DNA sequence: TTGTAGGCGTTATCAC
DNA sequence: GTGATAACGCCTACAA
């Protein structure tokens, strides 16, 4: 409908360099069987006319289909649920973009079962995998094997730094813990007392790192507040409620509660039961229906989180880039640590 | 290299429906000249085989080129500078995606000049425009004219609600102001005193709205803190420094400073000059080299901002979608209000 | 109202 | 080493 500024194509390139389409293609895709001199001529022509490859046309001609798997912990977990629906949402859009993405559940707490699932992946039918799993030697080996088989692999949410994974998509847990600590300390300006820390399990790398970051800042900047040992619920809501109640009873001066992992529902129940949720600062991780509602109700003061939509889209973009042997645009893939309070809840 | 699961194509569709490619195309693109019955048959076939159109192939065949303009205020402004470089960055990637984007500077403070520039746009050579400009009747009319000419138009950063713009890409200023207020109030827990508010000009819609949101929360939730009238620098650094110094001198109990707009450099200079930057809470808007450094140096406690990369990519995506007559995926285009403290500075 | 043929920018399979 | 030529999935004349 409107005059278009034509972009140089391979045809223009071929003409400019005085060679055929096939040769241009060989040079562009760094295939062998072209004389040094010819290569140079084509490359010069690329610079001269400012040729940029049309990736969509290329993918079309290649009949490229990306087959990705996203490996997520199974079982009831609010955060993973939000991740799952983000994957669902994304895979619709991805389908139109020549990518098939399937979700694969893993038993979260059994390293051997996780490794078994990963090793059981049909690598011949897969181009890339995004994995959210705790770091264990078994998982590390499984990831290395996937890499050996030529797959693109990204660690999702929780890093697998000792493995051969291509990239980590997620946030720095130390920094997340530090962020929580600053808010906790500042929201409790001038007060003395104790801080309760709760989590599902301190086995998880995330929890350890968050706690580490949290403690560092608290000790450094808010010495008037003493942080108590972590309470672990081990997936047992009743245990969480009981431990929290006991802690509140034992210490008369609990000023704040830091929830490092899942289990926010029983935590909030225990706090409500304790009556005086009012004066205390509660900071939790991950935006889920529960934390969102708690934020709205004023039961939680701040949530430290990461955008699951970005997480998933980013993982998929990175996998795609790795498959194409293309550089990724780092700043776009850096997941931010979001601070959410009631007022900036979208 | 690997077995690919073939996606149904128009050919499959044609065969399934027992019609030709052309007819399939007519139905898919809702072109006239097809019998009701045939339309139904094709649509049924779409459902049956799960056909999804390959937009990239379609764009290729159409030789579609998007020509977009991004209209930004000229003159020295740190935030706009970051926006400009985000545009620069994005346009590289967009070029590969069949979009040409040019930046058009406008004299920020003269509504007539803005309107003149907008009216001077060569609409025949443009498919869409993203506009960051203060809302005035002249601008509104210019936008409406652009829409009449068939362009896609999005308001960027600052909304133009009374105009016919297709979409607003940016954050809610009231909420941004409220967010700032909550942090200010909580960081000053238990204290009594005054809050200084500074901005470049209260003429700007953003400043008015931020102030409104800020005041509402302060009055409601933090009555012990009294918010002073806005100090306006009117683009004069010296005036900013002087006014701030005077205010600090007049009131002995200024606990916090809220910087609603540009002019952070002179503000910080004045505060440094005053000596005791320490005890005060400073909250500013927009992440720029200045606010970033101030955050690192502990001179600013929190920055309320929006991710310029997202802003630009989102604007471009929306323009594209409007041009294609395609629905946008709202959650992806919702720009979040980011709270940045030193600890979650990426 | 419907169908045929050719082209979009790229890659791939043959020959030469 | 290099060059025609035919796809890829879709759209668009032009014919029927």
């Amino acid at each position: 409908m409107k005059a278009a500024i034509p972009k140089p194509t391979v045809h223009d390139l071929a003409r400019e360099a005085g060679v055929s389409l096939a040769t241009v293609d060989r040079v562009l895709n760094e295939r062998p069987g072209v004389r040094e001199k010819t290569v140079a001529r084509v490359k010069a022509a690329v610079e001269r006319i400012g040729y940029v490859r049309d990736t969509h046309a290329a993918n079309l001609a290649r009949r490229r289909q990306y087959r990705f798997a996203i490996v997520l912990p199974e079982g009831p977990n609010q955060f993973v649920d939000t991740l799952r629906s983000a994957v669902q949402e994304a895979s619709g859009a991805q389908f139109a973009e020549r990518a098939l993405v399937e979700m694969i559940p893993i038993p979260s707490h059994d390293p051997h079962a996780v490794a078994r699932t990963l090793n059981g992946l049909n690598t011949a039918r897969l181009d890339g995998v995004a994995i959210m799993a705790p770091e264990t030697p078994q998982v590390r080996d499984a990831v290395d094997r996937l890499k050996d088989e030529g797959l693109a692999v990204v660690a999702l949410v929780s890093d697998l730094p000792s493995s051969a994974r291509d990239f980590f998509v997620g946030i720095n847990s130390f920094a997340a813990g530090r962020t929580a600590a600053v808010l906790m300390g500042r929201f409790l300006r001038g007060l003395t007392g104790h801080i309760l820390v709760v989590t599902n399990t301190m086995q998880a790398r995330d929890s350890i790192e968050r706690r580490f970051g949290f403690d560092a800042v608290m000790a450094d900047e808010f010495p008037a507040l003493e942080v108590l040992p972590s309470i672990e619920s081990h997936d047992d809501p009743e245990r969480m409620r009981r431990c929290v109640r006991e802690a509140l009873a034992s210490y008369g001066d609990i000023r704040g509660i830091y929830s490092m992992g899942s289990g926010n529902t029983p935590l909030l129940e225990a706090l409500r039961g304790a009556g005086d949720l009012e004066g205390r600062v509660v900071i939790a991780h991950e935006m889920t229906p529960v934390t969102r509602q708690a934020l709205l109700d004023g039961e939680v003061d701040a949530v430290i989180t990461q955008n699951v939509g970005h997480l998933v889209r980013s993982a998929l973009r990175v996998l795609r880039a790795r498959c194409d042997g293309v550089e990724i645009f780092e700043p776009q893939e850096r997941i931010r640590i979001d601070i959410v309070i009631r007022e900036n809840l979208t």
Side-chain angles (χ1 to χ4, degrees), chain A residues 295-314:
Chain A
L295 224 33
L296 287 171
D297 294 342
E299 294 183 339
V300 162
D301 298 272
V303 170
I304 312 299
T305 189
Q306 46 195 327
N307 186 297
V308 288
H310 287 179
L311 229 34
V312 172
R313 287 190 290 269
S314 180

Side-chain angles (χ1 to χ4, degrees), chain A residues 212-253:
Chain A
F212 195 87
F214 188 81
D215 286 357
V217 169
M218 291 306 290
D220 245 43
E221 301 182 28
F222 308 102
L225 296 165
E226 190 181 336
V227 186
L228 294 169
S230 309
I231 290 178
E232 301 176 61
S233 72
H234 295 297
D235 275 324
D236 177 354
E238 179 46 35
R239 185 188 157 105
M240 169 71 88
R241 281 188 291 267
R242 184 166 36 81
C243 290
V244 170
R245 273 197 302 268
E246 283 172 10
L248 290 177
S250 321
Y251 298 86
D253 62 348

Side-chain angles (χ1 to χ4, degrees), chain A residues 91-99:
Chain A
S91 60
Q94 291 298 130
F95 181 62
E97 306 267 331
R98 323 191 121 70

Side-chain angles (χ1 to χ4, degrees), chain A residues 5 66 77 169 203 212 222 230 233 249 265 271 337 341 343:
Chain A
I5 292 88
Y66 305 86
N77 180 311
V169 175
Q203 312 277 38
F212 195 87
F222 308 102
S230 309
S233 72
T265 303
L271 292 178
I337 298 173
I341 60 179
E343 311 301 328

